[in-house]
Amino acid sequence: MTMNNKTVISQFILLGLPILPEYQHLFYALFLAMYLTTVLGNLIIIILILLDCHLHTPMYLFLSNLSFCDFCFSSVTMPKLLQNMQSQDTSITYAGCLTQMYFSNLFGGLEIFLLVIMAYDRYAAICLPLHYSSIMSLKLCVCLVLMSWVISVLNSMLHTLLLAKLSFCEDNVIPHFFCDISALLKLACSDIHINELMIFFLGGPIMVIPFLLIVVSYIKIVFSIVKVSSTRAIHKVFSTCGSHLSVVSLYYGTVIGLYLCPSANNFTVKKASITMMYTVVTPMLNPFIYSLRNRDIKEALVRVLIKKISL
């Protein structure tokens, strides 16, 4: 439909993942199991942190927000993907597409900020242990979390509003399994120069600056560890930071891999795999990484279970 020479598209078609028809049911079962695991794992982490007073510390405040972010990030894309895999109709409304893009950008950005805050928390705990309680006060922790939310919301809202001003031609097929901003920009038939500038000037720093801050934090931690002669102390530091480093490596490794892929119009198997890694696999693995490597989480689980059984 056109109005005043502007094409109005009421819906988009999501091509989904490049999976052969004979493997659709197998992958559907796999993705459903992964999504349910993501939801259950992250909810358990959040509930444990809420119920166990021993986990009411800055580190676990940030972890609970990270688990909530992972839960929401996966929920933005997976239910629609699962629905499309079982349906002949893979369309998504224009409003639904913009909403999906908004929340995927929001939670993707929020995860980055939470990871850098958690790196700063580890730096303060290891390099400045005597001043940790005064540095990581409740007021500062809440402010850091709120600031992360506000920046993520505003950044995502800006990109969504700019994209909403674009007009789209007859081509409404998105070669992706969700409404990714780069895929939508390729379908626009109006000038996308401002959109690309905003992605470059805002998206670039949001990715790069937190990554550099995380690297600097861990360089300082490594130098602090080198000064310690105790093997036990070194082991404790590595066990404390290991979970966070694993999550950072998983998230940034896949995102960097995605953006280093040569640009192409087709949604290749390689791009599909990398995108699935940071939108589905990483949120699923985070609870396992923190629970399996974290003694506090395991002890909290035991305490909560004993308390429930005793009641």
Side-chain angles (χ1 to χ4, degrees):
M1 180 172 65
T2 58
M3 295 176 61
N4 300 327
N5 296 325
K6 181 180 178 180
T7 305
V8 179
I9 285 181
S10 60
Q11 64 180 19
F12 292 97
I13 306 297
L14 292 167
L15 281 187
L17 295 168
I19 300 172
L20 294 173
E22 57 265 33
Y23 297 117
Q24 282 282 342
H25 293 297
L26 176 63
F27 276 94
Y28 176 83
L30 175 63
F31 294 150
L32 178 61
M34 290 170 69
Y35 177 60
L36 293 176
T37 303
T38 301
V39 171
L40 184 63
N42 284 292
L43 284 179
I44 288 173
I45 294 287
I46 294 169
I47 292 168
L48 280 177
I49 292 171
L50 285 173
L51 293 180
D52 195 285
C53 60
H54 296 89
L55 300 182
H56 294 174
T57 62
M59 176 181 172
Y60 293 106
L61 168 66
F62 304 141
L63 178 56
S64 62
N65 275 268
L66 182 67
S67 291
F68 179 75
C69 177
D70 285 332
F71 165 75
C72 294
F73 195 18
S74 186
S75 297
V76 169
T77 57
M78 284 304 288
K80 182 61 179 173
L81 171 63
L82 291 168
Q83 179 192 337
N84 288 350
M85 291 181 76
Q86 291 292 95
S87 171
Q88 296 297 321
D89 181 18
T90 61
S91 63
I92 183 171
T93 63
Y94 176 80
C97 193
L98 289 189
T99 302
Q100 191 182 58
M101 189 200 80
Y102 169 79
F103 282 108
S104 63
N105 286 344
L106 190 162
F107 292 114
L110 180 61
E111 178 128 359
I112 291 171
F113 290 122
L114 290 174
L115 289 175
V116 75
I117 291 172
M118 292 172 80
Y120 177 69
D121 175 71
R122 293 301 82 206
Y123 159 75
I126 294 165
C127 299
L128 306 166
L130 299 179
H131 303 284
Y132 177 76
S133 57
S134 59
I135 294 172
M136 300 305 293
S137 63
L138 178 62
K139 184 179 178 180
L140 176 65
C141 293
V142 172
C143 285
L144 287 173
V145 171
L146 285 177
M147 186 172 65
S148 300
W149 275 94
V150 170
I151 294 173
S152 301
V153 166
L154 293 178
N155 176 66
S156 186
M157 188 178 294
L158 174 63
H159 291 302
T160 305
L161 291 174
L162 286 174
L163 194 133
K165 291 184 177 182
L166 300 178
S167 56
F168 294 88
C169 302
E170 288 76 13
D171 185 10
N172 67 337
V173 178
I174 300 174
H176 215 307
F177 66 90
F178 73 100
C179 293
D180 181 60
I181 187 169
S182 59
L184 284 168
L185 288 177
K186 290 177 182 177
L187 299 180
C189 54
S190 53
D191 186 17
I192 61 170
H193 183 63
I194 294 177
N195 301 74
E196 291 178 331
L197 279 178
M198 288 298 103
I199 290 172
F200 178 78
F201 284 114
L202 295 179
I206 284 175
M207 283 293 299
V208 175
I209 293 175
F211 180 70
L212 292 177
L213 289 173
I214 291 171
V215 170
V216 170
S217 296
Y218 276 100
I219 287 174
K220 288 182 175 290
I221 288 171
V222 168
F223 278 115
S224 177
I225 292 171
V226 170
K227 296 176 184 178
V228 179
S229 57
S230 171
T231 307
R232 184 178 177 183
I234 292 172
H235 175 73
K236 185 178 179 181
V237 168
F238 274 111
S239 64
T240 305
C241 297
S243 301
H244 182 255
L245 270 176
S246 301
V247 173
V248 170
S249 302
L250 268 174
Y251 189 80
Y252 271 100
T254 51
V255 170
I256 290 170
L258 180 66
Y259 284 96
L260 287 179
C261 285
S263 60
N265 293 326
N266 296 324
F267 187 49
T268 62
V269 175
K270 183 179 179 181
K271 284 188 176 181
S273 302
I274 295 174
T275 307
M276 286 295 292
M277 276 295 295
Y278 84 87
T279 58
V280 180
V281 178
T282 302
M284 179 189 71
L285 291 178
N286 285 357
F288 291 99
I289 290 171
Y290 279 103
S291 61
L292 293 175
R293 297 178 62 92
N294 193 305
R295 189 178 63 184
D296 293 339
I297 292 288
K298 287 185 279 190
E299 289 176 353
L301 179 60
V302 172
R303 282 194 296 268
V304 169
L305 289 175
I306 292 173
K307 188 182 292 185
K308 294 296 179 184
I309 292 169
S310 62
L311 292 175

